[in-house]
Structures are given as structure tokens and as C-alpha cells.
Amino acid sequence: MLDAVAISPGPRPITLPFGSATSPVRIEAIGPRARFALRLRDEAGIASLGERFGVALPREACRFNEQGERRALWLGPDEWLLVAPFDEATRLGEELEAGLSGVAHSLVEVSHRSLGFTLSGRAAESVLASGCPLDLDRRAFPVGMATRTVLGKTEIILQRTGHESFQIDVWRSFVGYTLGYLIEAARQHG
């Protein structure tokens, strides 16, 4: 994670991390990540791509699988988001494309489209619930779950990475709004 990041969407920059290790809510920036949007229906291609990527593509709705620094998120019946270290983007894209030769698919690098950050702490679930229509209780949204949803007026990809921790990916143009929303909600928890 980055030590401190200043995001300036308008008149007042937002500096991360927000909160301390003992705060009810902590928001931290995640460094640059390679991201690939994948559309694929071929069963053999799905298995082969998972092997090449080093992480099996989840087949269960709204789940993610991870190995080391790579993560595969199920976003739809034939849609995944593949996430890896940023410095692997070019090589990984070439390897994945080579493995899908002759298979109908769409693989698009979208690394610069989104920014990611973590939201953690005992009040993280409550802060998210202030603007997200999902049931975020651990029984309904357990660790390993990932989905597209909204936070306030913004579409996000939400992942539960621990009992009290979440990861959020949001399009760059909505980062200021999203972080501002979360910080205002977090302030209500001290």
C-alpha cells in the first residue's frame, strides 16, 4: 500500500490514508494494478486462461479467487476482471492473448480506468451501508465476495477481503466523489 496519496478532484485535496490503525474506519490507497476485462464463454478457454493467469476463474456468481498478488473476479456469466501487479501488464496481456488464440473472446487492458483503495475497521461495513444498497452483513456478503454495485451515485466494484475489510475499485473520474462520500460517512463514527 502507498504511504500517502493526495487526490485533488476539486478545491480541497483528499489525502490518504484516512484514519489510523485503531480508528473505526481506515481508508488506504492501493498502488497501480494491471486490470484486464475479459469476456469468454468457451469452457476449455476458461480453464486454460485460469492456468495461464495462475488463478482459476471463479464460476460461482459474485466471487473472487486469488493467488499471491493476482485476483480473478466474477462479474457476470461470461465476464471477469483479472487483476495483477502493474509491472506485469504488458507481458501478462501478451501471454493471455496467446493462450486464447483461436477462441472467441474479448480481453481488454483497463489498468488506467480505475483506482483502488481499501476500507477497513470495525465500522467499515456501516460506512459502506450508508450509501450502498447491498446487504453487507457477513452472512449475505462473506469474505471472497465481489460484485458491481453503487455507492451514493457511483458505480463501484466492491470486494470483501476480510471480516472488517473491503476493497473498492472506482473509475478515476469518480474517485473524488467516492472518497469524499466515504470520508463524510466515516466521520460519523469518530
Side-chain angles (χ1 to χ4, degrees), residues 3-190:
D3 288 337
V5 175
I7 298 171
S8 184
R12 198 170 118 212
I14 297 170
T15 302
L16 295 180
F18 171 84
S20 69
T22 59
S23 296
V25 179
R26 182 164 172 86
I27 304 170
E28 297 177 89
I30 296 172
R33 305 290 290 157
R35 292 176 178 86
F36 293 88
L38 171 68
R39 301 298 299 258
L40 177 65
R41 293 186 180 180
D42 182 84
E43 291 296 325
I46 291 169
S48 172
L49 189 105
E51 288 177 23
R52 276 187 181 264
F53 184 57
V55 178
L57 302 185
R59 303 308 304 265
E60 185 178 356
C62 300
R63 300 291 181 195
F64 69 82
N65 291 334
E66 62 185 335
Q67 181 68 41
E69 293 190 68
R70 292 187 179 188
R71 187 177 291 172
L73 294 77
W74 185 98
L75 296 180
D78 67 348
E79 183 178 7
W80 293 268
L81 180 66
L82 308 177
V83 183
F86 186 74
D87 60 354
E88 297 178 12
T90 301
R91 181 186 52 78
L92 183 58
E94 292 168 356
E95 288 176 9
L96 297 177
E97 278 294 348
L100 291 169
S101 179
V103 176
H105 72 283
S106 171
L107 181 69
V108 179
E109 185 188 352
V110 293
S111 300
H112 296 286
R113 177 183 69 187
S114 304
L115 292 177
F117 48 93
T118 61
L119 181 73
S120 60
R122 64 185 179 277
E125 188 177 297
S126 178
V127 167
L128 280 170
S130 72
C132 179
L134 295 177
D135 181 354
L136 297 173
D137 182 85
R138 286 182 223 156
R139 294 166 293 197
F141 200 84
V143 174
M145 193 156 201
T147 191
R148 282 189 185 108
T149 187
V150 294
L151 181 70
K153 298 178 181 181
T154 305
E155 181 180 314
I156 63 171
I157 296 177
L158 179 63
Q159 305 156 63
R160 184 171 216 137
T161 56
H163 291 297
E164 294 182 340
S165 60
F166 298 85
Q167 185 171 319
I168 297 169
D169 270 27
V170 63
W171 284 20
R172 285 180 181 274
S173 56
F174 298 108
V175 167
Y177 169 84
T178 303
L179 286 173
Y181 189 100
L182 288 170
I183 288 169
E184 286 304 312
R187 286 188 174 131
Q188 296 178 17
H189 292 276

